[in-house]
Amino acid sequence: MADKIQSVKGMHDILQQSSSKWQTLENRVQGILNRYGYQEIRTPVVEKTELFKRSIGETTDIVSKEMYTFTDLGGESLTLRPEGTAGTVRALLQHGLYQNSPLRLWYCGLMFRHERPQKGRLRQFNQIGAEVYGLKGPDIDAELIAMCARFWKELGIDNLELQINTLGSNEARRKYRDVLVEFFQDHKNDLDDDSQIRLEKNPLRILDSKNPEMQALIEAAPGMAEHMDEQSGEHFLGLQNLLGSIGIPFTLNPRLVRGLDYYSNTVFEWVSDSLGAQGTVCAGGRYDGLLEHFGGRTIPAIGFAMGLERLVELMSLSDAGEKDPQSPHVYLIIAGDSAFARGFQLAEELKDALPELRLLMHCGGGSFKSQFKKADKSGADIALILGEDELDKQCVGLKHLRGENVQSELAWTDLADRLKLELGL
Ligand code: ATP
Ligand code: MG
């Protein structure tokens, strides 16, 4: 017999037992985004390879070694999206969306990167991101960060540290880059292989190395502060003051850079210390130069993306004391063929009357006893019972499955009102 087919390495199923957590996460975050006036954009999972090369940058880890690129049957080079900004910018230019700026957008979806799979690092993963186009002041930087803080509050995730930094203007960064290259050239023998390559291609990224053996050298490297231009410095101070005024604590991390080429000015990350090596759950910053780079006009932009797998790991549904949003309120037990048609009708009537009701109708027949077992296992609060007797009397049995086990009888006509009351719908 052939070997069982397994899922692709680094690409995981989210099984039905854990999908509730995902739904809660997505619903809450998307709800908050809508409350702040952000609108959803959905772009294709596949784009032309060129798009990512141009927007993310050829020297980045993503483009140089992590992309799922293939030639389609028409001979065109396509790539599974590794992040969400490139597609959003493409859509923005293609549809002239910047005419309505400022634009506050969000997206949610699968991303693909051919990385070495490990805890918190997958090859297929989910991100929610938000992006704002057309605003250049620190007010919008602060709004995005405040929105993130609200995600964590309403998801019941605490102990995330907010780290912020500024990369300065493009010009300031170029100058700083030269200083860094000089410093690391002098310590070339202490650089690991990865950093040797980064020194040639993208020296700022050495500061982002996760290798513990590199940390002492990175600490010793000259900082950005002395090379900061006045405008970026003021912007950064403005952001800090706004965060202070709404009471969001932050840490200044002068070594914080981002993996992508197009960042300038504000950068930030939210980091957890309970996830091990892959502790960043949300990362973002400004990319004021990206649209211009695309041949568009100069439109300031800022955004963030968060990794949902890492957030799910941090979420504790039970702490929130909430019912699993997928478990039914009511399990409808129906015994006997003649009862089934009426039971089916009742179920549909209840769904008309109570749109919020989650009702699971028993299918597949079987004894009362076996159906009760299934009702129990379903996690429902209430079992409704319809057998031949109830059919004659035009009523159902109602039994609470949690707490005291008395069964009462209820006329069909009173059923919707009673459930509404009992379940608080
Ligand atoms: P790193 O330096 O850790 O590789 P990155 O700069 O590649 O991070 P981003 O592109 O900014 O990460 O992605 C934003 C967020 O998406 C990350 O903070 C993380 O939560 C999540 N993420 C990124 N790559 C992966 C992955 N391979 N698996 C799971 N989540 C990921
Ligand atoms: Mg990465």
Side-chain angles (χ1 to χ4, degrees):
M1 208 178 82
D3 285 345
K4 267 197 209 132
I5 297 180
Q6 306 275 325
S7 67
V8 176
K9 196 174 167 198
M11 305 199 182
H12 294 189
D13 300 308
I14 296 169
L15 298 179
Q16 75 280 10
Q17 307 91 297
S18 48
S19 57
S20 289
K21 241 184 187 176
W22 281 84
Q23 290 182 5
T24 303
L25 170 61
E26 289 170 3
N27 290 339
R28 290 207 186 143
V29 168
Q30 292 173 8
I32 293 170
L33 285 158
N34 291 336
R35 277 153 62 197
Y36 276 78
Y38 288 64
Q39 294 175 301
E40 186 185 12
I41 181 163
R42 300 189 191 197
T43 62
V45 174
V46 176
E47 299 269 3
K48 295 181 181 171
T49 304
E50 190 57 26
L51 173 72
F52 300 115
K53 285 192 177 164
R54 270 177 56 193
S55 66
I56 303 173
E58 303 255 10
T59 65
T60 56
D61 285 354
I62 292 184
V63 173
S64 64
K65 56 185 183 198
E66 296 175 357
M67 295 212 297
Y68 278 92
T69 296
F70 61 97
T71 308
D72 79 352
L73 295 176
E76 185 162 37
S77 178
L78 303 178
T79 294
L80 298 184
R81 66 178 178 202
E83 52 91 86
T85 300
T88 306
V89 166
R90 198 249 327 118
L92 190 110
L93 293 173
Q94 184 173 335
H95 304 287
L97 302 182
Y98 49 80
Q99 319 255 6
N100 310 315
S101 80
L103 270 177
R104 287 174 166 84
L105 302 173
W106 64 268
Y107 59 81
C108 172
L110 285 171
M111 307 296 159
F112 302 84
R113 297 185 194 174
H114 196 272
E115 305 197 64
R116 190 169 67 78
Q118 51 193 291
K119 186 175 179 306
R121 206 176 269 298
L122 307 167
R123 289 181 171 175
Q124 175 189 278
F125 60 98
N126 289 271
Q127 281 185 339
I128 292 182
E131 322 213 320
V132 181
Y133 295 89
L135 292 172
K136 62 177 191 297
D139 46 1
I140 192 66
D141 305 20
E143 175 181 286
L144 282 167
I145 289 174
M147 196 161 65
C148 291
R150 186 167 301 282
F151 297 154
W152 321 141
K153 187 158 116 187
E154 297 190 16
L155 290 170
I157 296 175
D158 30 50
N159 295 327
L160 290 186
E161 183 186 39
L162 170 63
Q163 300 184 359
I164 60 175
N165 190 24
T166 179
L167 301 176
S169 65
N170 286 342
E171 201 188 331
R173 211 168 52 260
R174 264 195 297 275
K175 280 190 209 145
Y176 176 52
R177 188 188 141 117
D178 294 343
V179 176
L180 263 190
V181 169
E182 203 175 310
F183 173 83
F184 285 120
Q185 287 283 10
D186 290 345
H187 298 83
K188 207 167 173 185
N189 295 336
D190 301 328
L191 295 178
D192 62 11
D193 292 349
D194 229 19
S195 300
Q196 300 264 3
I197 298 171
R198 287 175 180 177
L199 183 59
E200 297 297 322
K201 292 186 165 176
N202 196 347
L204 240 71
R205 282 277 284 150
I206 297 177
L207 301 179
D208 196 33
S209 166
K210 307 282 186 294
N211 182 354
E213 286 167 22
M214 287 285 300
Q215 297 313 310
L217 185 63
I218 288 170
E219 280 301 315
M224 174 88 199
E226 302 95 83
H227 310 277
M228 187 56 51
D229 57 295
E230 201 181 322
Q231 214 182 356
S232 302
E234 270 169 23
H235 183 109
F236 195 44
L237 263 183
L239 170 62
Q240 293 175 50
N241 288 336
L242 286 171
L243 292 178
S245 69
I246 50 166
I248 295 183
F250 56 85
T251 309
L252 295 177
N253 178 358
R255 309 283 171 228
L256 185 67
V257 293
R258 302 284 313 121
L260 316 187
D261 272 354
Y262 52 67
Y263 282 89
S264 61
N265 225 308
T266 308
V267 287
F268 61 92
E269 287 195 358
W270 292 88
V271 186
S272 162
D273 60 9
S274 40
L275 288 174
Q278 315 305 335
T280 303
V281 293
C282 175
R286 278 209 162 262
Y287 32 96
D288 292 341
L290 181 63
L291 272 108
E292 198 181 59
H293 175 71
F294 258 91
R297 358 168 140 190
T298 312
I299 299 169
I302 176 165
F304 63 75
M306 51 201 194
L308 302 193
E309 279 74 8
R310 295 182 195 178
L311 286 171
V312 163
E313 178 120 8
L314 290 176
M315 270 171 68
S316 163
L317 258 191
S318 51
D319 284 354
E322 277 168 44
K323 194 173 154 59
D324 180 341
Q326 289 191 114
S327 70
H329 297 110
V330 170
Y331 194 101
L332 178 58
I333 291 173
I334 316 172
D337 288 343
S338 53
F340 188 82
R342 179 58 193 138
F344 200 173
Q345 269 174 5
L346 263 183
E348 291 300 316
E349 284 164 19
L350 284 173
K351 281 169 178 152
D352 281 336
L354 304 171
E356 306 276 303
L357 177 71
R358 294 193 299 276
L359 181 147
L360 192 67
M361 177 176 75
H362 182 85
C363 287
S367 67
F368 274 125
K369 197 173 161 210
S370 71
Q371 292 195 36
F372 263 111
K373 268 195 190 149
K374 294 212 162 79
D376 238 345
K377 222 176 135 193
S378 75
D381 301 309
I382 290 173
L384 293 179
I385 302 110
L386 184 72
E388 307 290 339
D389 285 353
E390 287 83 5
L391 194 62
D392 287 343
K393 289 197 267 178
Q394 307 210 342
C395 72
V396 291
L398 184 150
K399 190 170 175 182
H400 286 273
L401 295 169
R402 329 275 142 209
E404 26 71 77
N405 284 347
V406 271
Q407 187 171 324
S408 54
E409 264 182 12
L410 197 63
W412 291 341
T413 45
D414 298 335
L415 193 50
D417 286 342
R418 174 74 176 274
L419 288 177
K420 187 171 171 163
L421 201 71
E422 294 233 358
L423 296 165
L425 297 173

